[in-house]
Structures are given as structure tokens and as C-alpha cells.
Amino acid sequence: MIKKAILLLLSLLVIGKIYAQKSFYVKNVNIDIVYKDKAGNDLLDSTNDVHFSTKDIIVYSIEKGKKVKVNYSKMDYPNNHFMYKDDAISIYHLRIFLETKETLLQLSPTITDTIKCKIKKTKGNTHLTKVWYNGKLVWEFGKDVSQLITIIK
């Protein structure tokens, strides 16, 4: 009986040690963008005459100085972006995942914007520290609580 209790106790200690060593990885490299015109109209809302259509949006990463179209076919968001509506305020957001220091965001065949960012990588954590949109600093870790920016077009 004592042998069984000792064996059970040792098993629990070993299992506890295995689970305690298990680590997790946090990756937070997204920014949400609201696009409005000068009159305040939501440019992501397809019910507006003038809007950016999600099917026309293309994301390019700049890798080693070359423009590379983002296409991860096995991912949930293979083109590193998706659109959603914030029902609380009835505004559409474009969420874009920034995996390189420079990203080109083609909103339409005639409009391409540049997003640059600083990404901090530590053990178990990767996150944005700064984001520039067309050369203007628009978001900074620690200063801005929400990873949401508004761009006026």
C-alpha cells in the first residue's frame, strides 16, 4: 500500500513538472485600421458608394528589398488581413497582420499605402512596438491602449 502511494506521489510530481515546464508563445503583430473620408464616411462599408472592397485589398511584404504578395494558403487568413464590423459603433475595421518591418497595403488598383513597424521579439513573445502609416507614426506600444488607428482618405 505504501509502495502504491509513493509511486502515485512520484507520478504526480513528474507530471506536474512536465506541465510546469510547458511554455506558450504570444504573437501580437496585428493592427486594426478604420478608413474614413473627410466627411466621416466609413470607407470599408460596402453600402457606401465610395468604399474599399475586401476582395480588392492585397498585402505585400517587403522581404530583402523585394515586394512579395502574401499568400499563406493553409492559414485562417491567408492574405494576412480580414475585415470585421464593430457592431457597438457600426464601423468596419481592417485587421492586418504585420510580419515584416515593411508592408505594402494595396487598397485598390490605384491606391497603395506603406506600413512600417518595429517588432520586438523576446523568449515566448513577439509584439509590435511602433507603427508608421505612410511615414507618419500612428501607434506606439505603451502610449496607445488599443491597436486601432483611423486613417482619413
Side-chain angles (χ1 to χ4, degrees), residues 14-26:
V14 169
I15 290 171
K17 189 157 184 98
I18 290 171
Y19 283 111
Q21 291 177 351
K22 228 177 190 182
S23 62
F24 63 94
Y25 187 78
V26 175

Side-chain angles (χ1 to χ4, degrees), residues 1-152:
M1 182 72 168
I2 292 178
K3 284 184 180 181
K4 285 184 181 181
I6 291 173
L7 185 59
L8 178 63
L9 182 60
L10 286 174
S11 297
L12 290 174
L13 286 173
V14 169
I15 290 171
K17 189 157 184 98
I18 290 171
Y19 283 111
Q21 291 177 351
K22 228 177 190 182
S23 62
F24 63 94
Y25 187 78
V26 175
K27 187 172 185 179
N28 184 7
V29 292
N30 66 280
I31 194 85
D32 290 356
I33 307 171
V34 170
Y35 289 97
K36 293 186 176 189
D37 64 15
K38 290 178 183 170
N41 297 309
D42 184 352
L43 294 176
L44 296 174
D45 187 346
S46 61
T47 62
N48 292 331
D49 291 337
V50 178
H51 67 277
F52 299 122
S53 175
T54 189
K55 67 178 179 55
D56 293 335
I57 296 173
I58 302 172
V59 176
Y60 297 95
S61 291
I62 303 299
E63 298 174 12
K64 298 179 183 175
K66 294 186 180 186
K67 178 177 161 180
V68 179
K69 184 177 179 180
V70 174
N71 186 11
Y72 302 117
S73 59
K74 295 183 181 184
M75 300 297 284
D76 289 339
Y77 307 105
N79 305 111
N80 270 4
H81 75 279
F82 68 91
M83 199 178 304
Y84 69 96
K85 185 176 184 180
D86 183 340
D87 290 325
I89 55 176
S90 296
I91 294 178
Y92 285 88
H93 296 215
L94 176 67
R95 176 164 291 172
I96 181 164
F97 300 95
L98 304 170
E99 296 184 347
T100 58
K101 292 179 184 178
E102 186 172 358
T103 301
L104 299 179
L105 180 59
Q106 183 177 313
L107 296 167
S108 71
T110 59
I111 299 173
T112 300
D113 292 342
T114 303
I115 302 174
K116 292 185 178 183
C117 64
K118 276 192 176 180
I119 300 171
K120 183 176 182 179
K121 294 181 180 184
T122 59
K123 185 178 179 180
N125 187 17
T126 299
H127 69 274
L128 297 172
T129 59
K130 292 184 179 183
V131 176
W132 292 265
Y133 197 95
N134 288 336
K136 180 182 176 190
L137 181 63
V138 292
W139 183 86
E140 194 168 352
F141 183 78
K143 280 189 171 182
D144 302 295
V145 177
S146 171
Q147 286 180 231
L148 172 68
I149 61 173
T150 300
I151 302 297
I152 307 298

